[in-house]
Amino acid sequence: MRSEILTLALLVGLCNWAFRVFPTRADLSTLPPDGILARFLAATGPAAITTLFVASVMPWLQGGQVVPMVFGTVAILGGYVASRSVVAATLAGSAGYGFAVWVLAFLA
């Protein structure tokens, strides 16, 4: 593996970790509910779902298979309708998309 790719993966992983740990470790009780940081943190769930959707749509737009995108999207919608939780919807979409990719690779 090239060192540039490894360095990029480590930096992205570190930023992702910090982005997820900060809200759980910081004392956010003193934040004003309409403040910019509170709004930013409230938008992270929908942003995660949008990121998963875009990541699944890009290969399809470039001539890839549509099955994983459809399966992931249905899993996101089903997870959200069933639980009304952005976290559950995000995990369901990831699992659904990954499962569809795995099945297609297994069948190929």
Side-chain angles (χ1 to χ4, degrees):
M1 176 179 281
R2 292 179 22 202
S3 63
E4 299 89 9
I5 294 174
L6 182 59
T7 302
L8 180 63
L10 290 173
L11 286 173
V12 168
L14 179 66
C15 290
N16 188 2
W17 176 82
F19 186 72
R20 294 174 189 278
V21 168
F22 168 70
T24 62
R25 300 283 187 212
D27 180 19
L28 304 176
S29 63
T30 60
L31 287 179
D34 292 333
I36 191 164
L37 186 58
R39 290 189 317 220
F40 172 76
L41 293 174
T44 57
I49 290 177
T50 304
T51 302
L52 289 172
F53 184 75
V54 169
S56 64
V57 168
M58 289 306 293
W60 175 64
L61 292 176
Q62 297 171 348
Q65 295 184 347
V66 71
V67 173
M69 181 194 72
V70 170
F71 204 84
T73 303
V74 168
I76 287 172
L77 294 173
Y80 186 75
V81 167
S83 66
R84 295 290 183 209
S85 167
V86 174
V87 174
T90 303
L91 293 174
S94 297
Y97 183 84
F99 180 74
V101 169
W102 179 78
V103 167
L104 290 174
F106 183 74
L107 295 176

